[in-house]
């Protein structure tokens, strides 16, 4: 079926993709459209902004993690629920892994057959903006760029000059512009933007932003070029029974310290019969009633280390649960929380759960960044790591379970700590990447219901 949808690409990171994306999502929502939001790449923070603005789940589109069939299936499944699908790109439009740009916005848009709207920053530029646009349009003949939005344009008069020059030189539609927005810029921290839950008066800012875009963006032109074909969900076989996880009461850590989850992961768990019970390691003094397993995603435990360490009652309950063989799976920030302590770069120490008797030591620089392949008991899945910390080497109860390697290089290392029924590693795992790998995680949790 024919629907409306487009991918927002940028010339580079920091060109305003997220701000413009959430502004357009909110504007179209106000105009009565049901929006289905997406994020290209393994980012966890931008989708939470989408969800805050639109009020519906935002899903990651990952052409590195998934084969084409899986990527298209998940996109069609979610896009079919809405009037218009809007996907925010990652980094610059062509930026990805290796010479082919695997996982790039360009590659992903091509695979889901969606038109691209290119965001171009104009600060300090005039006619040269056309050279930038022309370069993006000619680097790949099948780029599918259908329009551009100009950022940092101070007035409508100036925009009209840009528009005339760009449309004449590049033969591409100028959809509109965004003026400088100093009071609405989204702040960053060491692993990306500050989370949506931490932005003060976010709703008010987004309302102001969409009001501005309503005056500066030609939404009729935008919707006219935003044509995609969304197929009805086809049969897609997965190697799990419909009630595979029935009886699993899974406690899921979710708050400002732990929010890095792929939405498709959580929904797959529910589709297979698991009951998800959300709790906050920051504010809850006990685990959810009747839970028989735990899932810790990534996040910022180091930022909230003081508050986490003060919640001693919950820390002890989780430690006791692990000692009594409760199945626990954790990723990145979740791994850090399960070590004995987090040591910040200033030397400050905060006690954590202590399932693993090593310390998490924060570092000034990124220790691991980007795509990797992770092997567990012979099954390999594609994954992503992004952390500024390392584990001390003085642990006595650590057994490395993961064998990891960087794609397109000879870099290899081990991670994935296991103690009893607890498995934790820095790698972020997408359950749809390799079901043989995912089955091992499910089998771990299923020990609670056997």
């Amino acid at each position: 079926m024919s629907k409306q949808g487009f991918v927002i690409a940028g010339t580079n990171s920091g060109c305003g993709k997220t701000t413009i994306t959430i502004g357009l999502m909110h504007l179209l929502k106000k105009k009565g459209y049901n929006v289905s939001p997406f994020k290209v790449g393994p980012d966890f923070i931008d989708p939470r902004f989408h969800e805050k603005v639109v009020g519906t789940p935002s899903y990651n589109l990952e052409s590195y993690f998934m084969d084409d069939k899986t990527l298209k299936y998940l996109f069609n499944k979610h896009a079919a629920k809405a009037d218009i699908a809007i996907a925010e790109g990652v980094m610059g439009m062509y930026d990805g892994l290796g010479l082919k740009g695997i996982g790039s916005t360009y590659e992903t848009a091509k695979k889901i057959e969606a038109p691209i709207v290119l965001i171009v920053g104009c600060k300090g530029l005039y006619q040269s903006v056309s050279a930038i646009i022309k370069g993006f349009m000619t680097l790949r003949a099948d780029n599918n760029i259908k329009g551009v939005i100009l950022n940092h344009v101070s007035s409508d008069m100036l925009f009209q000059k840009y528009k005339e020059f760009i449309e004449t030189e590049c033969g591409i539609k100028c959809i509109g512009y965004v003026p400088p927005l100093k009071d609405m810029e989204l702040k960053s921290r060491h692993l990306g933007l500050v989370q949506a839950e931490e932005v003060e008066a976010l709703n008010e800012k987004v309302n102001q932003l969409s009001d501005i875009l309503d005056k500066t963006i030609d939404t009729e032109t935008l919707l006219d070029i935003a044509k995609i074909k969304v197929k009805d969900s086809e049969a897609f076989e997965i190697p799990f029974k419909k009630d595979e996880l029935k009886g699993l009461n899974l406690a899921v850590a979710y708050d400002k310290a732990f929010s890095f989850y792929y939405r498709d992961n959580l929904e797959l768990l529910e589709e297979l019969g698991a009951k998800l019970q959300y709790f906050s390691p920051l504010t809850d003094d006990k685990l959810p009633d009747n839970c028989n397993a735990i899932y810790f995603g990534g996040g910022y435990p180091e930022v909230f280390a003081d508050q986490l360490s003060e919640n001693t009652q919950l820390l002890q309950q989780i430690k006791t649960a692990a000692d009594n063989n409760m199945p626990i799976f954790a990723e990145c920030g979740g791994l850090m929380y399960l070590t004995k302590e987090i040591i910040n770069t200033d030397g400050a120490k905060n006690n954590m759960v202590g399932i693993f008797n090593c310390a998490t030591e924060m570092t000034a620089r990124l220790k691991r960044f980007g795509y990797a392949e992770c092997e567990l008991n012979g099954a390999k899945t594609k994954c992503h790591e992004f952390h500024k910390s390392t584990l001390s080497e003085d642990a006595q109860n650590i057994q490395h379970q993961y064998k990891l390697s960087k794609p397109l290089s000879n870099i290899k290392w081990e991670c994935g700590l296991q103690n009893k029924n607890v498995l934790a590693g820095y790698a972020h795992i997408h359950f749809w990447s390799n079901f043989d790998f995912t089955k091992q995680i499910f089998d771990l949790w299923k020990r609670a219901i056997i």
Side-chain angles (χ1 to χ4, degrees):
M1 57 184 146
S2 180
K3 278 187 173 277
Q4 289 177 309
F6 56 92
V7 175
I8 296 176
T11 54
N12 58 283
S13 293
C15 70
K17 288 191 303 295
T18 300
T19 301
I20 294 170
T21 296
I22 61 177
L24 289 175
M25 286 178 177
H26 192 263
L27 174 60
L28 291 170
K29 181 184 176 184
K30 286 200 299 186
K31 290 181 178 292
Y33 291 89
N34 183 6
V35 178
S36 181
F38 296 89
K39 172 65 183 182
V40 177
D43 187 286
F44 294 102
I45 298 175
D46 292 346
R48 302 296 85 80
F49 279 97
H50 303 169
E51 293 175 353
K52 278 278 188 181
V53 168
V54 178
T56 57
S58 180
Y59 301 90
N60 294 79
L61 297 172
E62 242 306 340
S63 61
Y64 171 72
F65 289 164
M66 307 173 200
D67 59 35
D68 292 359
K69 182 180 178 181
T70 305
L71 179 70
K72 290 177 183 178
Y73 168 77
L74 290 174
F75 173 71
N76 288 329
K77 174 185 176 183
H78 304 312
K81 303 171 187 175
D83 302 316
I84 184 167
I86 302 177
E88 178 185 351
V90 60
M91 298 187 291
M93 175 176 159
Y94 293 108
D95 297 333
L97 178 65
L99 292 175
K100 294 183 178 180
I102 297 169
S104 68
T105 304
Y106 155 74
E107 181 189 68
T108 304
K110 183 179 177 182
K111 289 185 175 183
I112 63 172
E113 301 177 77
I116 288 176
V117 174
L118 183 66
I119 308 298
V120 186
C122 295
K123 193 172 182 179
L125 298 168
Y126 188 29
Q127 286 97 334
S128 297
V129 171
S130 295
I132 295 171
I133 295 170
K134 187 169 286 189
F136 273 82
M137 293 179 67
T138 57
L139 183 64
R140 297 285 183 269
D142 57 353
N143 60 80
N144 210 24
I145 300 172
K146 297 298 183 183
V148 297
I149 293 176
L150 308 182
N151 198 11
H152 295 113
V153 177
S154 59
S155 67
D156 186 69
M157 182 180 296
L158 181 57
F159 169 70
Q160 295 303 327
K161 293 179 180 179
Y162 277 122
K163 177 179 169 71
E164 180 181 11
F165 198 79
I166 290 168
E167 292 187 347
T168 299
E169 290 293 327
C170 304
I172 190 76
K173 292 181 179 179
C174 264
I175 299 168
Y177 71 98
V178 182
L181 301 168
K182 282 190 177 180
D183 295 335
M184 298 182 195
E185 291 179 351
L186 300 175
K187 296 180 180 179
S188 298
R189 64 157 56 103
H190 57 277
L191 296 182
L193 293 175
V194 169
Q195 299 172 102
E197 293 80 6
E198 300 176 69
V199 177
E200 188 175 345
L202 178 61
N203 291 338
E204 180 182 334
K205 290 180 178 180
V206 174
N207 269 316
Q208 293 174 0
L209 174 60
S210 62
D211 286 344
I212 291 170
L213 297 187
D214 197 17
K215 299 173 184 176
T216 64
I217 300 294
D218 184 349
T219 52
E220 287 188 10
T221 298
L222 176 62
L223 293 172
D224 184 57
I225 67 173
K227 305 296 183 184
I228 59 173
K229 290 183 179 179
V230 175
K231 297 179 181 178
D232 292 328
S233 292
E234 301 175 355
F236 191 97
E237 292 188 10
I238 58 177
F240 304 112
K241 297 178 295 184
K242 188 175 182 180
D243 59 351
E244 182 85 21
L245 300 177
K246 185 178 180 180
L248 179 64
N249 297 323
L250 187 64
V252 181
Y254 201 101
D255 55 21
K256 289 187 291 186
F258 302 97
S259 63
F260 292 1
Y261 297 90
Y262 294 118
R263 182 66 61 177
D264 279 309
N265 284 6
L266 299 176
E267 292 188 2
L268 179 62
L269 291 170
E270 291 182 313
E271 289 168 8
L272 295 178
K275 180 181 179 182
L276 305 189
Q277 300 173 284
Y278 294 96
F279 74 102
S280 169
L282 287 171
T283 60
D284 292 334
D285 58 9
K286 65 176 184 176
L287 291 167
D289 293 338
N290 303 318
C291 74
N292 51 17
I294 311 176
Y295 185 10
F296 287 101
Y300 289 113
E302 71 277 17
V303 175
F304 303 97
D306 287 346
Q307 190 175 346
L308 289 169
S309 66
E310 290 169 0
N311 195 355
T312 55
Q313 187 170 331
L314 182 63
L315 292 174
Q316 184 56 55
Q317 187 184 9
I318 295 170
K319 176 66 163 58
T320 300
D323 289 342
N324 291 329
N325 293 313
M326 179 178 283
I328 301 173
F329 176 68
E331 300 171 315
C332 202
L335 162 66
M336 296 163 63
Y337 181 64
L338 298 183
T339 61
K340 66 181 181 181
E341 62 186 357
I342 293 177
I343 306 174
N344 281 311
T345 52
D346 62 0
K349 298 180 180 181
N350 287 281
N351 291 331
M352 294 292 132
V353 176
I355 293 172
F356 302 109
N357 61 1
C358 57
T360 298
E361 300 174 354
M362 302 308 300
T363 57
R365 293 187 175 186
L366 284 167
K367 296 300 292 184
R368 299 286 180 193
F369 169 67
Y371 292 130
E373 186 174 67
C374 182
E375 181 179 346
L376 176 62
N377 298 322
K380 295 181 179 180
T381 193
K382 293 174 179 177
C383 65
H384 183 262
E385 284 200 11
F386 192 22
H387 56 93
K388 295 179 74 174
S389 67
T390 187
L391 303 182
S392 64
E393 296 297 327
D394 59 348
Q396 302 299 313
N397 67 340
I398 287 178
Q399 300 172 349
H400 285 130
Q401 300 297 318
Y402 294 167
K403 296 179 180 178
L404 294 107
S405 59
K406 292 289 288 183
L408 309 181
S409 78
N410 293 318
I411 300 174
K412 297 181 180 181
W413 68 100
E414 292 184 343
C415 186
L417 313 185
Q418 185 155 16
N419 183 13
K420 294 188 175 180
N421 285 337
V422 182
L423 177 64
Y426 274 117
H428 293 282
I429 307 297
H430 199 296
F431 292 165
W432 289 79
S433 178
N434 184 307
F435 289 126
D436 289 334
F437 190 102
T438 301
K439 184 179 184 299
Q440 296 186 74
I441 299 171
F442 290 178
D443 286 346
L444 171 70
W445 280 325
K446 284 169 63 177
R447 295 175 188 175
I449 54 180
I450 293 175

